[in-house]
Amino acid sequence: MCHPFVPALVVLTALPFLAQAPGSRLPGPDTTLVAENITTTESFFRERSDSLLKAYLDWRPGFAVSLGLHEYDGKAPNLSVASLDAELKRLKLARAEVASLEAALGRSKSNPKVLLDAHVLRAALEGEIFSFEEARGYWRNPMTYAGGLDVSAYIKRDFAPLPARMRSVVALLNATPAYLAAARANLEEVLPKPYVETAMLIAQGSAEFLARDLVEALHGVDDAGLQSAFKAANERAISELRAFAAWLEKERLPRADSSFALGADRFRRLLASTELVDMDPAALLVLGKAELKREQTRFAAAAKIIDPSKSPAEVFKAIQGEHPTADRLIPEIAARLEAARAFVVKRDLVTVPSEVRATVAETPRFQRAQSFASMDSPGPFETKASEAFYYVTPVEPNWTPQQAEEWLTAFNYATADVVNIHEAYPGHYVQFLHVNASEASRIAKIFTSYAFVEGWAHYCEQMVVEEGFGSESGDRIAAAKVRLAQSDEALLRICRLCTAVMLHCQNASVDDAAKFFEENGFYAPKPARQEALRGTYDPGFCNYTLGKLQILKLRDDWKKQEGKTFTLKRFHDELLRHGSPQIRLLRAIMLRDPKQYDRILN
């Protein structure tokens, strides 16, 4: 993601996806359906979906604020045992109702956009139910709670006067003790070790954020009473977060085990219900390793242009040494970001709906345990604060010189250019701008597909380089370096696909996965282990490659359909105007041949 990366087993409680019974027929533009009263059915669906959305957001006020719905400012979620039980019951009742409405819409031959919304809304419910009953994030994953109640939105964007935002911050800080008490009550005694260790880092980072960044951001509010209330609430929240980290270390870490794996059946259900990709995990791994072999061939070809006397790994290692210094990381990334935007606009690859730029900044401390770089855009319903932040994780002051150097290799100049394409132009940021500018429904703007969002950004890396980015000067070596970096990013995402299956379906250890990243993605030990740890709590990180492959397949099929009228810009604009649904559903929308709907990968 990214919008700031959050573990997928936690994301499933915040960013749900569409579900469809594997193998079931998706209604397409040429399907003959029994007519019902279309107007009445669609009107009733809108009425009920609005009600269900309200209940959904009422229980998730933090998510609602991230969408730009500020009537939820300062409200804290209730994660007590009774509240969790009631919410699961509500989700199941809502799922049954939406399934019934979905069937009625199909029979009435409703507007395809309305039917799409019904699919997407049911996805939200399916994804949530999976997170409750299968992933069990509230009971098995302390990362769900370790960040505390997120107050960063209130200082990042100027959507209200600072004193008003500060009052919301105080309300959330005052709710922190109850929130973390619920964590202690809910979390099982034996938890996966990677979850516990990462949660401890998140909790400690969150405490540091409150103690330093938050205080600095709010120190200028000239209201003695409010400052006093903030100081008391903040100090208690900091203490609670540090105590929670200590509690995890004392009470959960000694008992922690390696039971993070979903297992093959759950892993398959996760992809089938969230992305409509129903594949046996073993077959998925075969696909991944075949793609890995193809990409390694491309990687070697680019390396040979740069220095045929060295191995591909040696060539890339030399390139990795060409990176900014720690103190120049942020400004140099920002300068190169503008060059990427200029290329996309000049080549007319996709509509860029706004002149507003993303601000490059350091990743907030409480998010650094989980992210190299990420895009944090304002919510689709934000009307006042348009700031978007492109976060880059810096070198930490307490790292050894070797650790710092290993980290900076991931931001070598060629790779930094590819990351800029992924995160901003024309990746995540441009996709966000399209969602905001589109006529997509409220449902379509709220709920997203992991494979679409990350698949689009990853697809953009390959597409932009294929269109000539990096070769404008005519320097073959410079162009090959960018191509090599793009191929390396592809290798990383393919390694994620492979290790997701290995970790969750084949009993691979974190060490096994880290070694796979080192040997196949040419990653240094520290970032390789970071990726392997992510795989334990984010099995969905296989969706980068799955999404890219599906978009490439859809592009090929749409090009055949459109013939001489096809252009990349037309394809990209059409792809982006429907929100961020599952790519299989986009096939149903964009292709006129029903036989093509299920041919999602080959």
Side-chain angles (χ1 to χ4, degrees), residues 234-245:
N234 197 38
E235 288 178 353
R236 186 175 181 191
I238 292 167
S239 177
E240 290 284 346
L241 283 165
R242 289 173 176 164
F244 183 63

Side-chain angles (χ1 to χ4, degrees), residues 18-26 102 122 126 272-273 276 278 584:
L18 174 62
Q20 181 84 15
S24 63
R25 171 58 55 193
L26 297 173
E102 193 175 15
R122 184 156 63 90
E126 294 283 3
S273 64
L276 304 183
D278 184 25
R584 185 180 173 198

Side-chain angles (χ1 to χ4, degrees), residues 191-199 252-253 256-260 533 536:
L191 304 173
K193 188 175 181 180
Y195 297 7
V196 177
E197 291 176 334
T198 306
R252 293 297 181 264
L253 187 59
D257 61 16
S258 58
S259 62
F260 53 79
L533 285 171
T536 65

Side-chain angles (χ1 to χ4, degrees), residues 20 64 111 155-156 206 208-209 278 388 468 482 504 506 518:
Q20 181 84 15
N111 184 320
I155 62 173
K156 286 187 299 187
S206 296
E208 291 176 10
F209 168 78
D278 184 25
V482 175
H504 289 276
Q506 297 188 343
E518 289 182 45

Side-chain angles (χ1 to χ4, degrees), residues 12 22 114 136 165 213 222 257 275 277 308 338 341 383 396 399-400 404 413 483 519 528 562-563 593:
L12 286 171
V114 179
R136 292 184 57 78
R165 287 181 277 136
D213 301 63
D222 187 17
D257 61 16
E275 300 300 341
V277 176
E338 190 63 23
R341 186 187 189 281
T383 59
E396 296 291 355
W399 286 357
T400 66
Y413 293 115
R483 171 72 73 174
E519 293 179 347
E562 299 300 300
D593 180 2

Side-chain angles (χ1 to χ4, degrees), residues 444-461:
K445 290 186 176 184
I446 290 176
F447 302 122
T448 63
S449 155
Y450 195 161
F452 179 92
V453 172
E454 294 301 347
W456 162 257
H458 186 34
Y459 158 83
C460 285
E461 300 167 16

